[in-house]
Amino acid sequence: SQQGEEDPQALSIQEGENATMNCSYKTSINNLQWYRQNSGRGLVHLILIRSNEREKHSGRLRVTLDTSKKSSSLLITASRAADTASYFCATDRDYKLSFGAGTTVTVRA
Amino acid sequence: ETGVTQTPRHLVMGMTNKKSLKCEQHLGHNAMYWYKQSAKKPLELMFVYSLEERVENNSVPSRFSPECPNSSHLFLHLHTLQPEDSALYLCASSQGPPGSYEQYFGPGTRLTVT
């Protein structure tokens, strides 16, 4: 069953702007992961953040985790056209990943 | 390239056909997964294999039959499918226990059932 839910469902921004998307989940987790999917392709892993971590960075990506609110955010700074994709959060539960429906990000040139 | 390959990339089959999807990982991982991705729906986990043993069968209809002959290969055998089975089928692998490690995905097989 679906554990994480991303918000917003869709986001359109200008190249160079920042993009922020959120993920909320229902039950306690060991870790939360973010993935990117370009249209019709496989998912690409971006960042894994464990429940005892609050923030993690990878290049232009910043992920935060608030276990008290059961929520996470993904920030993409200085967006580029190549960042146009769907972004999914995934939470681990019973030793398997449960994915949300995703946020579709469009970066306009 | 993620190190996970899937064949075929596209498949059109009739409801009475039998076909198989193949996945191969070149990463030395010991867990492999099948997911179904339908339009406007979250990714659905179908099967999980850990150390070549099936550890999850997520209420998938019997017309889908997985096979994991070794830690590098995973198959999904299809027979008497329905039009609603049309979707993108994704294979993934991970280094360790399902859920605890990042997963590496193949490019997917786009399946159309006519």
Side-chain angles (χ1 to χ4, degrees):
Chain A
S1 61
Q2 182 181 348
Q3 160 81 310
E5 290 187 19
E6 293 90 346
D7 173 64
Q9 289 187 348
L11 186 57
S12 180
I13 56 173
Q14 201 73 31
E15 200 165 25
E17 294 180 338
N18 295 343
T20 300
M21 61 210 83
N22 303 295
C23 171
S24 60
Y25 57 91
K26 297 182 177 66
T27 62
S28 62
I29 59 172
N30 294 317
N31 67 68
L32 185 143
Q33 304 182 33
W34 285 92
Y35 289 80
R36 183 188 75 229
Q37 183 180 35
N38 292 91
S39 181
R41 305 294 300 274
L43 279 71
V44 174
H45 179 262
L46 298 176
I47 289 182
L48 183 154
I49 186 165
R50 302 200 185 276
S51 59
N52 61 353
E53 298 174 310
R54 291 296 166 257
E55 189 170 307
K56 222 166 177 182
H57 297 254
S58 176
R60 295 183 294 109
L61 305 179
R62 189 189 91 167
V63 166
T64 62
L65 179 64
D66 187 334
T67 53
S68 66
K69 295 181 179 178
K70 292 187 172 61
S71 68
S72 173
S73 68
L74 170 65
L75 167 68
I76 306 172
T77 60
S79 63
R80 305 168 182 169
D83 295 327
T84 294
S86 292
Y87 292 82
F88 298 87
C89 68
T91 53
D92 77 304
R93 183 180 180 189
D94 299 330
Y95 297 101
K96 60 188 179 187
L97 283 186
S98 178
F99 287 81
T103 293
T104 300
V105 175
T106 303
V107 181
R108 306 185 306 273
Chain B
E1 294 298 326
T2 62
V4 180
T5 59
Q6 289 186 246
T7 54
R9 294 292 308 277
H10 299 272
L11 178 62
V12 179
M13 59 186 289
M15 289 191 285
T16 58
N17 291 158
K18 288 185 180 180
K19 295 286 184 184
S20 296
L21 309 185
K22 179 183 176 182
C23 175
E24 183 173 0
Q25 57 99 357
H26 310 272
L27 302 167
H29 289 169
N30 54 33
M32 296 187 76
Y33 314 81
W34 280 116
Y35 289 91
K36 175 184 178 183
Q37 187 176 35
S38 305
K40 309 294 184 187
K41 293 176 70 175
L43 212 60
E44 299 174 51
L45 178 64
M46 300 176 72
F47 300 104
V48 179
Y49 278 83
S50 180
L51 298 172
E52 301 160 44
E53 189 175 322
R54 190 193 307 181
V55 296
E56 181 72 27
N57 177 355
N58 216 23
S59 302
V60 178
S62 59
R63 56 185 183 270
F64 295 91
S65 174
E67 178 189 3
C68 187
N70 54 60
S71 60
S72 299
H73 294 86
L74 186 64
F75 294 88
L76 187 63
H77 304 299
L78 317 171
H79 66 96
T80 58
L81 294 191
Q82 304 297 311
E84 61 264 29
D85 297 324
S86 298
L88 182 68
Y89 289 84
L90 293 164
C91 172
S93 70
S94 66
Q95 179 183 358
S100 301
Y101 290 80
E102 60 266 32
Q103 295 185 9
Y104 292 76
F105 283 79
T109 295
R110 174 68 63 187
L111 173 66
T112 303
V113 181
T114 60

